[in-house]
Amino acid sequence: FQRVVLYGPGGIGKTELCANIKQLGLRPLFIDIGTGSGFLDVERVEPAPTTWDDLRAVLHDQELWRDYNAVVIDDLTTAESLAIQWTLANVKAERANGGAVHVNSIEGYGWGKGYVHVYETFLQLLGDLDMHIRAGRTVICVAHDCTARVPNPSGDDWIRYEPRLQSTDKGNIRSRVKEWCDHMLFIGYDVFSEDGKAKGAGTRTIFPTEMPTHLAKSRSLADPVVYQRGSADIWKLLFKGASQ
């Protein structure tokens, strides 16, 4: 039972790829908080959670999950937004006079404290998902992408694709999620530069190994996998021996 994080540009087919795990005999239940699965024939939580408490309640509903062996969170970027809303509503900012007040933004806590609070809130979700791993379910989390600058002590910095999650020095959710998962897969379009212009044919590749262009990791895969519409090749490689 594995923890998979799948990220890439909007519209590239992340949610569809998650749906393709049904080809392996797995039965996933989608928690579609990002409203990305409406056009797919998948089983989903209805209505989708709209608050942090609702999301966690769904994950703790043991009766709901009894007949499913895979959890799909679509998506972590939206989940982080729910965690921020919950933090602002429930965690007060301490003041110098010993009092505590609610604030309207993460920066309102002062000195990076708000990012730490959100980080601690978000860890609850990872704990909930670990509960499903222990119950024998695979966990797949979708995330949107962003570009981030990579510090390079030996030379010039560069920019690469990373999951769009909080990455401040205090409370780095992005790094924690990478540590937590067994596989962080980046889906990208196949493009190349010619005469200073980007070119491509719309083909896609799934990358399981970190490269200068993207953040990734895998405990079992090393080579890129071509992603064709309807393909479950990546899941066949990851879930060899999965329950039918």
Side-chain angles (χ1 to χ4, degrees), residues 177-194:
V177 167
K178 184 189 178 188
E179 294 170 358
W180 169 80
C181 67
D182 299 303
H183 312 277
M184 177 174 281
L185 309 176
F186 171 67
I187 304 180
Y189 290 107
D190 302 321
V191 297
F192 63 95
S193 178
E194 184 177 286

Side-chain angles (χ1 to χ4, degrees), residues 4 6 17 20-21 24 185 206-208 221 223-227 231-240:
V4 181
L6 182 69
L17 182 59
N20 293 345
I21 66 172
L24 277 69
L185 309 176
I206 303 170
F207 298 92
L221 302 181
D223 298 325
V225 178
V226 174
Y227 175 26
S231 171
D233 290 348
I234 189 69
W235 304 127
K236 293 174 183 177
L237 293 170
L238 288 179
F239 302 146
K240 292 179 179 178

Side-chain angles (χ1 to χ4, degrees), residues 56-206:
R56 297 197 66 210
V58 164
L59 288 168
H60 281 265
D61 187 343
Q62 297 183 15
E63 184 64 23
L64 174 66
W65 293 97
R66 183 179 60 182
D67 297 326
Y68 298 94
N69 52 15
V71 182
V72 178
I73 300 286
D74 191 356
D75 56 86
L76 284 185
T77 307
T78 302
E80 182 184 278
S81 296
L82 299 182
I84 292 173
Q85 295 171 16
W86 187 95
T87 300
L88 292 173
N90 291 275
V91 180
K92 293 183 177 181
E94 298 178 358
R95 292 298 183 243
N97 61 6
V101 298
H102 285 293
V103 294
N104 296 321
S105 69
I106 295 303
E107 288 78 10
Y109 290 97
W111 298 100
K113 293 180 180 178
Y115 299 102
V116 175
H117 291 321
V118 173
Y119 175 82
E120 292 173 346
T121 299
F122 193 89
L123 290 185
Q124 298 171 354
L125 176 61
L126 300 186
D128 295 341
L129 295 175
D130 281 339
M131 174 184 65
H132 283 272
I133 291 290
R134 293 191 294 271
R137 299 184 187 94
T138 287
V139 171
I140 304 173
C141 299
V142 174
H144 295 301
D145 73 338
C146 66
T147 54
R149 185 170 296 277
V150 181
N152 179 20
S154 62
D156 294 335
D157 295 348
W158 72 91
I159 295 176
R160 69 180 175 186
Y161 290 108
E162 297 187 358
R164 196 199 308 167
L165 295 167
Q166 179 177 291
S167 62
T168 57
D169 291 338
K170 294 183 178 181
N172 194 324
I173 293 176
R174 188 182 301 168
S175 294
R176 183 66 187 91
V177 167
K178 184 189 178 188
E179 294 170 358
W180 169 80
C181 67
D182 299 303
H183 312 277
M184 177 174 281
L185 309 176
F186 171 67
I187 304 180
Y189 290 107
D190 302 321
V191 297
F192 63 95
S193 178
E194 184 177 286
D195 297 327
K197 296 182 179 180
K199 297 186 177 182
T203 57
R204 302 166 294 176
T205 299
I206 303 170

